[in-house]
Amino acid sequence: MFSLRIAAVTLLSLLLWACSIDDQQPPSQVSITFYPPTDSFPLFTDKSTTISQKRFFRAKQLSSTESVEINQRADGKPPTLNGQSVGQHSTFLIEFTDSLDLELYSESGEFLYSTTLYSELSQKHLCLPSEPLTKFNMLVDLPVTTAHNKHQAHQLVAACRALNQ
């Protein structure tokens, strides 16, 4: 038999379950593009020479490590090696809740810097330098996306470089 007590407990359980779902915050999503600061280019290097930087970043809460490869020229033109267009793996789409601590490391594993991203940055494109800087602009007016080809990857890095000239 169906009793009023069972109905009340069931209704209360459903209400508590619905409230717990509403309290969960949807994940924040950001795009991050790593770019080489102006100081990354040696003074004696020809401005048309492509420099390559390999970095690693680790997202503490996600316990994942990602490899970063940036190929850029000091003059800002698309990078080439031996006359061939080169790609780069410098833009990432990341989802997190509340906050996320990112650490950047050199190719040899040397710690470069860390930064914390907060959920207020959700649906933003962020620029992070490939070298430690004391001051830089992080927000750029770009879509929240990753690069779909070499040309778009270069445009994203170039936009971050231009923001922080």
Side-chain angles (χ1 to χ4, degrees):
M1 298 278 172
F2 188 71
S3 75
L4 193 54
R5 183 181 297 164
I6 293 174
V9 170
T10 304
L11 183 59
L12 181 62
S13 296
L14 287 173
L15 284 172
L16 290 173
W17 179 73
C19 289
S20 69
I21 290 175
D22 289 342
D23 289 345
Q24 293 177 357
Q25 188 178 22
S28 298
Q29 184 179 50
V30 295
S31 286
I32 297 176
T33 295
F34 291 93
Y35 68 94
T38 304
D39 296 348
S40 297
F41 298 92
L43 295 175
F44 58 85
T45 305
D46 179 17
K47 294 199 181 297
S48 65
T49 301
T50 297
I51 65 158
S52 295
Q53 291 181 324
K54 293 192 186 328
R55 299 288 185 259
F56 297 95
F57 77 87
R58 186 169 73 107
K60 281 186 174 182
Q61 292 88 329
L62 304 177
S63 66
S64 64
T65 302
E66 292 286 336
S67 176
V68 179
E69 183 177 353
I70 307 168
N71 297 296
Q72 282 289 293
R73 291 171 39 157
D75 62 9
K77 293 185 179 175
T80 58
L81 290 173
N82 301 324
Q84 299 293 318
S85 173
V86 290
Q88 45 207 349
H89 189 58
S90 58
T91 302
F92 302 86
L93 204 57
I94 299 175
E95 283 189 358
F96 61 96
T97 347
D98 298 327
S99 66
L100 180 70
D101 296 322
L102 288 179
E103 295 177 340
L104 187 69
Y105 296 88
S106 69
E107 183 176 12
S108 63
E110 174 190 0
F111 174 76
L112 297 174
Y113 71 87
S114 67
T115 189
T116 302
L117 306 179
Y118 296 98
S119 58
E120 294 84 42
L121 296 171
S122 187
Q123 296 304 312
K124 304 283 185 205
H125 198 116
L126 311 176
C127 296
L128 294 178
S130 60
E131 302 284 340
L133 293 177
T134 55
K135 187 178 178 183
F136 59 91
N137 294 312
M138 190 165 51
L139 288 173
V140 66
D141 187 23
L142 291 172
V144 178
T145 185
T146 58
H148 300 291
N149 55 47
K150 292 176 186 178
H151 177 72
Q152 190 178 26
H154 172 68
Q155 287 181 322
L156 293 171
V157 173
C160 287
R161 282 182 61 197
L163 177 69
N164 288 289
Q165 286 288 9

